[in-house]
Every structure is written in C-alpha cells, then in structure tokens.
Amino acid sequence: MIKVVNQRFYLHTKNTSYVFEVTCHGHLNQLYFGPKIQENDIEAVRLKHNVALGGNIQIDNKDSTYVLDSLLLEFSSVGKGDYREPSIELIDPITNFNSNFVFDSYEVIDNKPAIEKGLMSKDHPKAMSLIVKLVDLSINQTVFLFYTCYEEFDIITRRLSIKNDSKQEITVTKLMSVTLDLLNRDYTIYNLSGTWARESHRQKRKVSSGTFINQSTTGATSHFFNSGVMLSSLDRENEGISIGFNMVYSGNHYCSIQQHYSNVIRINMGINPSNFHLKLAPNEIFETPEVIISLSNQGNNGVSKNFHDFINQCIVRQPDLLKPIVYNNWEATMFDFNEEKLLRLAKKAKEIGVELFVVDDGWFSNRNNDQSGLGDYHVNKKKFPKGLQSFFGKIKDLDMKCGIWVEPEMVNIDSNLYRTHPEWVIKTPYTQSALGRHQLVLDLSNRLVQDYIIDNVSKLIDDNQIDYIKWDMNRHISDAFGSTLKHQGLFYHEYVLGLYRVLNEIFIPRPQVLLEMCSSGGNRFDLGMLCFATQIWSSDNTDPIERLKIQEGLSYFYPLSSISNHVSISPHPSTLRQTPLSTRFNVSAFGALGYELDLNNVTRVELKEMKDQVDFYKKYRKLLQYGTFYRFDLTKQNCVQWQVTLKDTSIVGYFQKQTNAVEPFEFFKTFGLDEFTIYHFYSKPQRLMIDRFKEHLHHVIPIHLKPSGFVLTQAEKYIAMEDGTVSFFVSGNALNSGIVLNNQFMASGYNKDLRILSDFGSQLYVIEREENE
Ligand code: GLA
C-alpha cells in the first residue's frame, strides 16, 4: 500500500513500513524503514536533528541543523555537504561534478511502470508503484525514482532513470539503483564469496566505521562475489531484524555499506561504477537495474522466505513448475562418449527413475577437448553416426525428455566460426585478446552476433525438439571493447543487455523449453538469469560436504527451486573426500535434483538405493523445491541442519561434517511447526553400505570376515544394512523446543537404533501431520 500525505510518502507491505518526506529544501529524507508501525509513531522513531556539529556544512543560513550529511537521503548528490558515497557522480561541461537534485513531483500508480531496456521483476495484481521526479535545474537533469511495493511478499523494489534535459551531452560515472540510509542496529553483513568449485560461501563481518564493498568486475555476477547482500541485527537465522538486497542484473554489480559518524550507515547498490562511463545525449534516458529489498523481524530466514516466494512468483518464467530429475553425462564421460555409451547410461538412468537426459559438452564439431570446436554446433558424426535427432528419438522411446549443452557466448580460435568471423570476438583494436579455457568471448554488444546466436540456438532446439538447454559460460570477460559501440564506457552493460535480448528471443517464444544456466558452475547465479532459467547449476563441485556450504550460501538469496544439485561419484575429484551415497542424495534433494556419475560403475545395491532416493524425491518434490526453507544456528559446530516445510509436512536434513569420538547426546529442534499438532516423525529409510565398516564389521555381525576377502567384496555389491531407523509420534511443541536423538555408533556395540553418521553421515527426517489426529 502506498499513501501520500502532505509530501510524506508511506510505503507499507504486510510487515514493513518505509516512510520518507520532502524537506523544506526539496530533498527526500527518510523517516523510517523497519517493521510495520502506526503512522503516528513516526515522530518517535525518526532521527532527531536538534543540534549542529562543528564541521557541518549548512545550505540554510537560518537553520544550522539542516545538514545533508546527517539526513537519511533517498538520493544523494555531490557538492552541498553530504560527504558519504553519493547516488550519482556526473561531469557537467560547465558546473563540473556538482549537482543538487530536489523534488519536483510524484505519481502513485496501481501497477508497475515498464522498463525500456533490461529486466525487472514482473507486475503483480496487488503491486503499487510510486514514481518521484527529482530535478537539478542548474544542469537540466531529471531523475525518476521508482518504488514498487509487493505488499503480500514484503518486498519493495527500487530503481531509477536519468533523463538529460539539457542541450549538451553529459557524462555520468556512477548511478546507483538504490541509496538507503539506516541507523545501525549493530548489523552483521552477510555476503557470498568464493571461486570456481568453491562458490557462494557465506561471509560475515560487522558493519563498522568505513566502507565495505561487495562487487563484481568480471562482466558477469561472478563466483568471486554474488550480488546478494544481507544485514542481520542479531546475527541469527530466526530472530532479529534482517534486511536483504539483491539486483535483477547479470553484469558488474556493486554494493557499498558505509558507516559514517553518528552510527548512520548508507547502502548503495547498482551497476559497478568501475569501468562504467555513460555519455548521455540531450533527451536521452538511462535506466538502472532493479534492486529488490526485503526486511523481516524473523531473522535471516524471514528475509530468505520473502525472497524465495517473490522470485518463485514474480521473477521466474514458469512459476510453480516442478523441475524434472535430470541425468547429465559430464562427470561420467567428460568428452569421451558416443551414442552407444550414452544410451547405456540413459537406460540405467531410466532404471532409477530419471526423467530427463542431458548430453553435455563434446557432442559437436571436433570437440574432443576444450581446445577446439566451440562455436560450431553441428553434430559430431563419429559420436552420433545417425545424427542428434535419431539419438534423441531413442531417448524419447525410453520415455525421457532430452537436454543438450551449449556455450553460445564463446568461441575457440580453432573453430569455423572464428575463422569466418574473427571480428565477432571481444577485442581491443590493437591487441590480442587474452584467452580463458582456450576460448574467446563473442561480443554480445554487437547485434549481428546476437542475431547469429538467436538463429543458431533456436534452430538447434526446433530441429531436434529439445526440451532442455544447459547454457554454459566458462570464462570472464577481458579486453572489454565493442567494435560496434559508439561509447565504450557502456560496454559491460551493453553486453548484458545483448545477452538478455538473445535469451528473450530464444526462450520467451518457447515456454516449454527449460533452461539450466551454468557458468563454470555458479559463476552467474543471479536474478537476471532467473528471469529465463528454470534452474542454475550451483557448482562443478558436487562433493556433498562442500555443497553444504555452497547451497546454504545460495539459500540466503535464491529459492531451492532454482538451485541445481547432482548426486555424483565418491571420492569426489575436487576433494578426494569419501562420502556415503545417502549423504550425496540428502544434500542434493534440497533443490532441483539430478544424477551425474557413471552408472556402470555402481553396484546393484547402490542402484537400488538410487531408485529409492528418486521415488522419495518424486513423492516430496513440491516440498523440496517450493517449501519454506530454514537454516539453523546450531551450537554443535560439526553439524548442519536444514528444514523445508510445506503446509503440514516438513523434511529436515541433519548432516554431520566430521565426527568426534563418543559424540554427546544431541538435541534436535524444528522451527515453526504447529505446537498443538501431533506429527509422525520418522527417518527416510536409507541403506548403510557395509564397506563403511571394513574390518570393523565384527562389531555388527557375530562372525569375522576378511575385509578384502571374496565373501565381503561380493556381499558389498548386493547387501546393505538399515541406517538409523526411527519412527514415533510427537507434538509440534516438543519438536520446536527440542527432542533428543538416538546415540551415534561408538565402537561399543551395534543395534539397529544407532545412528552411524561418522564423518559425513546424514539423515533425512520426515515430519508429517498424523493422519487420524
Ligand atoms: C563447465 C560446466 C560443467 C560442464 C563443463 C563442460 O565446467 O560447469 O558442468 O558442462 O563446463 O565443458
């Protein structure tokens, strides 16, 4: 709901209030942003400006307390005494970098104004928007601030545009989508950082005097720093005021959090001003990407829930779509495959219940390694003698859908595409471009290149009736230069807009085609991509213990439905860590599930276990993709717990990273279950493979078997034990306050009730409302 009274703007969502007003000098001064309050609370909660400080700069001779540096500004200019990071930096040919944008007018509308260039979250029947026009008449520039309230989602989105109303070109070197000033509630900053195979690790630090910057400079969102940022007042998952920010953007992003004197902090978020230089001609308009903001007084999980629900309804192409279970051949075969080998894998995948088969890199041209072929998407006849259509026909005969890998933004030097169009790559006029993974980046700021990709990928999909595209992007941009661009200062942004046009033209007319976005794993996990992608590959690292960090990090900002996870081989190549098959599934099940290992190398009993896993996932798919997700602050440092809840059913994953000898008794608490309901609490049945015991099997069975002897090596292939089975009825109240788990195995005897977690063991618990209650 948006209300305006005497130039005071009230933006209310279900649980949040955001209030600002026009000051006597025309600046927009924020009065409150926090949990919902009554309008007459404003005088009490607003910042008080009763005194001027030595050193303050005053623009009003009569009022020494009117100091821009201590107002909570919605938009901050340069030159009148606000010394914090501004919303805008520009260079006017006459007045230099000075500006002073003040209120001109406003409009409240019942929907969401469209964006001309770029992406944005969708309109919604109950969305309401406020547009505030600011002007600087000394330089004839106009800024429009756009606010949209999604009341039921507790989301407010913000962006802005600038229009050059002067008669000469102006240069803008920084233009933030959002400036938000807040009084510091002892906030801890959460952001996600990492690199290839170690993406999205959550980092925490206190806001303190000075400036913290979270940014990308690679041309994409990057695995170095994701664009999502959260502030948490109590540093707790389920308590305290938390505020989350993320951009609907896939390029160089920027967020600074600056603590000034008086404990006021300023958050600026937008396109990274580094390597950004906008030349705006008379009458030209530039629009910044949209930022989504959510505040919750139920801790970080509260913000995550708001983001998840909003993304699932107002960002993605296909809301509520149940994602199919995928098999991908990459980790099983790499480039070394042919039709026969893939069909053998497809049959095994079908046996365990997989629904979609993805042919990964290596199916085209002379692509037998990563040094050639990229750009030439015609089928390799040695690998598929009868062509792709015939192969996919066989996959369809198995009643599976068909997916294929492409990397359309890239080209190898050893390719026909590069030989024909060397001018299509990103390259400065007088130097050689740097290579990454033996490849160059195509210049998506060039419309000819965009058209070429649109035609090629569309044809590939249509000719072969492909159901699923895995779209990869395996290197960062270097040598930024667009041969067809008038102003190079906008290169990175134009690349992103070009990519959006390409994806729009390919996927919007083909709503049935699913898109998995990938960038060497999770190098481009962002809300821009989620406007098109059904899901995003989170990491090439599928070791489940590593994935606990990666998936948990992503869950702060992105819904489980968007996080693509595959069960893969153990020991995993990126860590050489050995993990139980149960844990590989138990982690992957929190999101969009797939399998990615050589199914010819697994035993009969492992295959059976996988089939049961898939059956379980199918039964609870909606819950695991769209339920409300909770992280926990556990005191037990070697454990991680996740909960996902949909209506009366929850699944809780309990994961042990490294074991301690003689593990103490463990409390197990759920969150948010109905206290008066009686629930059936039981462990998902899972097999304990006997090779976990080796020579210690005598603890379990009364006879001694030789660890590498014939009996045991054969038995391992066919037999497994029950693992930590438990089943009882219990109230939501008891579960929320904490029940005690069964003991773990401690080498002092075995019975079926013991939990054998050891290093990297885990269990899924199902909690369902008792039917006959
Ligand atoms: C990237 C992806 C992998 C795989 C390879 C193929 O690394 O992240 O999943 O598709 O490319 O080259």
Side-chain angles (χ1 to χ4, degrees):
M1 201 257 288
I2 298 178
K3 199 168 117 186
V4 187
V5 184
N6 296 333
Q7 298 198 334
R8 187 177 276 191
F9 303 92
Y10 297 90
L11 282 65
H12 294 294
T13 65
K14 205 167 47 177
N15 297 298
T16 309
S17 299
Y18 185 3
V19 186
F20 53 91
E21 68 179 4
V22 181
T23 67
C24 55
H25 291 282
H27 300 109
L28 292 184
N29 179 35
Q30 189 228 103
L31 302 171
Y32 179 76
F33 179 51
K36 200 160 191 168
I37 52 166
Q38 304 288 325
E39 283 164 17
N40 49 18
D41 290 333
I42 295 293
E43 288 318 309
V45 297
R46 66 180 295 170
L47 287 196
K48 317 292 188 281
H49 300 284
N50 319 111
V51 69
L53 299 180
N56 280 160
I57 299 296
Q58 284 104 13
I59 59 172
D60 185 341
N61 285 340
K62 297 197 196 79
D63 180 3
S64 60
T65 62
Y66 192 92
V67 175
L68 285 175
D69 217 17
S70 60
L71 291 181
L72 303 185
L73 293 172
E74 290 293 294
F75 186 85
S76 153
S77 320
V78 171
K80 295 278 182 221
D82 177 8
Y83 293 103
R84 295 166 289 182
E85 267 201 33
S87 317
I88 188 166
E89 284 176 22
L90 52 79
I91 303 164
D92 177 84
I94 298 167
T95 64
N96 201 9
F97 38 63
N98 296 293
S99 65
N100 183 23
F101 285 87
V102 294
F103 178 78
D104 176 272
S105 55
Y106 75 89
E107 195 186 347
V108 175
I109 55 176
D110 270 341
N111 52 29
K112 188 165 192 182
I115 192 164
E116 291 280 311
K117 284 184 177 175
L119 298 173
M120 167 175 97
S121 48
K122 296 182 223 166
D123 196 2
H124 189 269
K126 290 195 190 136
M128 256 185 120
S129 304
L130 165 71
I131 307 161
V132 184
K133 182 177 173 190
L134 306 176
V135 290
D136 183 336
L137 296 176
S138 66
I139 53 174
N140 285 320
Q141 299 297 323
T142 303
V143 163
F144 295 93
L145 306 181
F146 297 90
Y147 300 80
T148 301
C149 281
Y150 291 83
E151 191 164 348
E152 65 191 86
F153 294 100
D154 272 324
I155 294 277
I156 293 173
T157 66
R158 284 187 57 184
R159 66 183 179 92
L160 61 82
S161 65
I162 181 167
K163 179 161 181 275
N164 182 358
D165 285 322
S166 76
K167 296 210 163 40
Q168 59 226 336
E169 186 178 84
I170 190 166
T171 303
V172 179
T173 55
K174 174 178 187 173
L175 190 61
M176 295 290 97
S177 300
V178 167
T179 298
L180 185 71
D181 293 345
L182 300 169
L183 193 57
N184 189 2
R185 294 179 191 256
D186 194 26
Y187 285 118
T188 300
I189 305 170
Y190 285 55
N191 69 321
L192 307 180
S193 80
T195 182
W196 172 72
R198 206 187 67 213
E199 299 88 338
S200 303
H201 283 212
R202 185 198 66 193
Q203 307 296 338
K204 291 201 232 179
R205 52 178 63 71
K206 280 275 176 207
V207 175
S208 59
S209 196
T211 307
F212 162 79
I213 292 173
N214 182 72
Q215 65 176 336
S216 154
T217 52
T218 65
T221 325
S222 93
H223 45 214
F224 300 132
F225 300 102
N226 192 273
S227 50
V229 175
M230 205 176 280
L231 296 175
S232 176
S233 65
L234 293 184
D235 190 13
R236 307 280 297 169
E237 295 302 338
N238 285 316
E239 293 163 68
I241 294 178
S242 296
I243 312 173
F245 304 83
N246 204 354
M247 282 173 81
V248 188
Y249 195 55
S250 314
N252 288 338
H253 57 83
Y254 176 88
C255 175
S256 64
I257 300 175
Q258 180 181 29
Q259 181 168 314
H260 207 30
Y261 68 92
S262 302
N263 214 18
V264 167
I265 61 174
R266 167 166 293 176
I267 297 108
N268 265 314
M269 190 178 247
I271 296 178
N272 197 338
S274 166
N275 302 321
F276 169 87
H277 212 248
L278 164 68
K279 295 217 181 279
L280 210 58
N283 288 320
E284 222 183 322
I285 292 176
F286 181 83
E287 299 161 295
T288 68
E290 181 180 51
V291 168
I292 66 170
I293 306 170
S294 181
L295 180 142
S296 170
N297 59 5
Q298 292 175 7
N300 306 331
N301 280 330
V303 171
S304 298
K305 177 185 171 11
N306 297 343
F307 277 164
H308 294 182
D309 292 348
F310 180 71
I311 293 166
N312 280 329
Q313 292 306 315
C314 300
I315 297 262
V316 302
R317 244 188 331 146
Q318 303 117 316
D320 305 322
L321 177 90
L322 292 179
K323 319 288 158 85
I325 301 168
V326 163
Y327 177 84
N328 181 305
N329 71 299
W330 177 246
E331 286 192 23
T333 64
M334 301 270 155
F335 295 100
D336 181 19
F337 61 83
N338 55 28
E339 165 161 344
E340 212 180 305
K341 207 169 183 178
L342 293 188
L343 277 175
R344 219 173 32 240
L345 288 169
K347 283 180 191 150
K348 288 246 157 124
K350 179 67 197 174
E351 231 180 273
I352 63 171
V354 163
E355 298 156 323
L356 191 145
F357 187 88
V358 184
V359 182
D360 210 278
D361 193 0
W363 60 268
F364 51 91
S365 180
N366 60 341
R367 180 106 172 137
N368 295 313
N369 52 46
D370 59 9
Q371 300 184 14
S372 62
L374 216 49
D376 303 338
Y377 296 104
H378 48 81
V379 69
N380 179 317
K381 285 281 179 147
K382 278 199 196 130
K383 294 182 182 173
F384 297 92
K386 295 190 188 133
L388 268 188
Q389 267 192 30
S390 146
F391 171 73
F392 280 137
K394 290 174 193 158
I395 296 291
K396 291 210 160 121
D397 289 345
L398 288 172
D399 196 23
M400 277 198 274
K401 292 191 178 237
C402 304
I404 201 158
W405 179 97
V406 282
E407 195 180 356
E409 296 160 74
M410 302 286 161
V411 68
N412 284 124
I413 290 179
D414 183 4
S415 69
N416 289 336
L417 180 63
Y418 184 73
R419 281 183 282 274
T420 321
H421 287 293
E423 78 285 6
W424 278 3
V425 301
I426 297 178
K427 178 184 175 318
T428 56
Y430 304 113
T431 59
Q432 281 288 326
S433 291
L435 287 167
R437 211 201 191 204
H438 312 284
Q439 61 201 49
L440 297 169
V441 190
L442 290 172
D443 177 6
L444 266 78
S445 70
N446 178 342
R447 212 170 160 96
L448 282 178
V449 176
Q450 297 168 18
D451 289 341
Y452 172 82
I453 298 176
I454 293 166
D455 290 349
N456 254 271
V457 179
S458 303
K459 192 165 171 339
L460 176 72
I461 294 173
D462 297 343
D463 288 355
N464 300 290
Q465 288 160 30
I466 282 170
D467 305 295
Y468 186 96
I469 289 282
K470 179 176 173 191
W471 183 296
D472 214 334
M473 192 267 199
N474 275 317
R475 60 158 289 186
H476 307 307
I477 292 177
S478 65
D479 304 275
F481 190 94
S483 57
T484 57
L485 287 184
K486 205 161 122 211
H487 299 302
Q488 296 301 331
L490 224 51
F491 171 80
Y492 283 111
H493 185 60
E494 291 291 345
Y495 182 98
V496 174
L497 295 183
L499 173 64
Y500 290 161
R501 176 173 170 253
V502 167
L503 293 172
N504 218 54
E505 299 277 322
I506 297 172
F507 291 101
I508 300 303
R510 295 175 180 80
Q512 78 288 2
V513 180
L514 308 186
L515 168 66
E516 176 172 25
M517 195 44 77
C518 171
S519 181
S520 298
N523 186 34
R524 195 160 62 182
F525 211 119
D526 63 63
L527 298 180
M529 288 299 107
L530 281 178
C531 291
F532 304 100
T534 322
Q535 59 213 59
I536 303 183
W537 183 227
S538 346
S539 178
D540 282 351
N541 192 341
T542 45
D543 172 325
I545 303 307
E546 295 302 297
R547 279 296 187 119
L548 285 174
K549 290 174 261 177
I550 295 168
Q551 293 172 214
E552 182 160 299
L554 288 170
S555 76
Y556 280 86
F557 304 100
Y558 305 98
L560 296 193
S561 61
S562 68
I563 305 177
S564 173
N565 312 316
H566 292 176
V567 173
S568 73
I569 198 71
S570 165
H572 193 270
S574 54
T575 51
L576 292 183
R577 182 185 281 134
Q578 251 166 336
T579 54
L581 177 56
S582 50
T583 296
R584 283 176 265 153
F585 170 77
N586 294 345
V587 175
S588 302
F590 286 84
L593 176 71
Y595 284 77
E596 184 163 346
L597 72 171
D598 192 341
L599 293 171
N600 299 307
N601 295 343
V602 304
T603 63
R604 281 318 302 170
V605 73
E606 284 173 325
L607 220 51
K608 267 198 205 149
E609 175 70 2
M610 289 182 197
K611 185 173 176 330
D612 290 348
Q613 293 173 343
V614 167
D615 287 345
F616 177 86
Y617 184 83
K618 284 179 179 165
K619 180 167 176 203
Y620 293 104
R621 184 187 333 232
K622 188 164 179 203
L623 165 87
L624 290 163
Q625 295 181 358
Y626 290 100
T628 301
F629 184 70
Y630 300 99
R631 297 168 297 266
F632 288 82
D633 301 297
L634 295 189
T635 41
K636 196 165 184 301
Q637 290 299 311
N638 63 343
C639 286
V640 172
Q641 185 180 326
W642 294 342
Q643 177 182 328
V644 61
T645 300
L646 191 66
K647 296 193 185 128
D648 293 330
T649 308
S650 300
I651 291 179
V652 179
Y654 190 79
F655 308 97
Q656 182 156 288
K657 291 182 283 188
Q658 258 165 347
T659 194
N660 298 305
V662 193
E663 284 282 354
F665 289 114
E666 287 156 87
F667 265 124
F668 173 95
K669 285 187 196 174
T670 52
F671 185 79
L673 300 195
D674 179 45
E675 48 183 307
F676 301 110
T677 296
I678 300 298
Y679 292 93
H680 182 197
F681 176 98
Y682 62 95
S683 52
K684 171 200 167 292
Q686 64 184 26
R687 289 175 178 79
L688 178 66
M689 303 301 166
I690 53 183
D691 67 350
R692 288 203 89 190
F693 283 92
K694 294 286 179 200
E695 46 264 75
H696 308 297
L697 203 60
H698 62 89
H699 285 289
V700 179
I701 51 171
I703 46 170
H704 263 278
L705 290 172
K706 228 170 138 195
S708 48
F710 179 77
V711 177
L712 209 51
T713 42
Q714 288 308 304
E716 276 168 17
K717 293 183 195 160
Y718 301 98
I719 307 169
M721 297 183 300
E722 277 180 53
D723 192 0
T725 314
V726 68
S727 169
F728 49 77
F729 292 91
V730 59
S731 70
N733 189 23
L735 281 164
N736 288 341
S737 56
I739 60 165
V740 180
L741 294 172
N742 285 358
N743 283 126
Q744 294 198 33
F745 178 76
M746 298 172 189
S748 55
Y750 167 83
N751 62 58
K752 70 170 184 37
D753 298 326
L754 286 178
R755 292 179 302 132
I756 304 180
L757 294 185
S758 171
D759 284 354
F760 321 128
S762 66
Q763 203 110 42
L764 292 187
Y765 296 108
V766 182
I767 304 166
E768 283 170 324
R769 175 191 277 269
E770 226 264 85
E771 287 296 330
N772 309 319
E773 204 201 340

